[in-house]
Amino acid sequence: MKETGLNIRIYGDKALRRKAKPIKKVGSEERLLAEEMANIMHANAGVGLAAPQVGVNKQIIVVDIGNGPLKLFNPRIKQRKGSCLMEEGCLSLPGVSVNVKRAKEICVECLDESSKKVSMRAEDLLARVIQHEIDHLKGKLIVDYADILRKLKIRKAFKKKLKK
Ligand code: NI
């Protein structure tokens, strides 16, 4: 594996709160980045990773719930159906899990690796992970879904961690 120096940003890092920029055209640079993101996701036993989590301000997400990696560029949710509450974790918030209500079924539009516009339907876990990663592109994290007391607790815990 080529060493790119990308590493996972942890809660408190400003990169996680930026709004990611859309990609004009998916080219070799974006494909390489998505590939590296997939490697990082797999190395950390994650089911999804968004570019801001490795400090890159671009609308790229990778997802793998066990059927091989999907790479989505400029993903947009076009339709939502149903809702479902489930506990979620995040590689940027190690040790934290939060109950998050999300649509059970979604229709997503994105660019694929050849920069072609495609749309896909997803449900259950896949739909959940895609929604979680798209949140990252907007600077949104699972901690934002927690109640105020829990938020303060998590913030405090990570402040301590970051100072060390
Ligand atoms: Ni996450």
Side-chain angles (χ1 to χ4, degrees), residues 42-103:
H42 287 139
N44 289 279
V47 289
L49 192 72
Q53 288 184 276
V54 289
V56 177
N57 198 26
K58 288 182 179 178
Q59 293 182 8
I60 305 175
I61 66 171
V62 294
V63 173
D64 190 349
I65 60 160
N67 308 318
L70 292 173
K71 296 159 186 166
L72 284 67
F73 304 84
N74 298 349
R76 303 271 182 280
I77 297 173
K78 290 294 175 185
Q79 255 182 56
R80 293 178 172 82
K81 255 193 217 165
S83 86
C84 182
L85 189 71
M86 208 177 117
E87 209 167 61
E88 284 181 18
C90 178
L91 291 174
S92 294
L93 282 133
V96 173
S97 54
V98 177
N99 273 316
V100 184
K101 193 170 159 187
R102 299 209 189 264

Side-chain angles (χ1 to χ4, degrees), residues 5 13 26 73 81 98 108 120 126 128 134 146 160 164:
D13 191 313
V26 181
F73 304 84
K81 255 193 217 165
V98 177
V108 188
M120 61 177 284
L126 183 59
R128 176 166 292 273
I134 290 177
K160 255 187 216 157
K164 267 180 205 166

Side-chain angles (χ1 to χ4, degrees), residues 108-127:
V108 188
E109 218 173 69
C110 64
L111 296 178
D112 69 7
E113 282 194 274
S114 50
S115 212
K116 202 175 75 190
K117 202 178 215 180
V118 292
S119 69
M120 61 177 284
R121 215 162 257 293
E123 53 179 24
D124 300 321
L125 182 62
L126 183 59

Side-chain angles (χ1 to χ4, degrees), residues 2 6 14 18 66 90 115 126:
K2 214 179 73 190
L6 294 176
K14 283 189 178 70
R18 275 183 214 126
C90 178
S115 212
L126 183 59

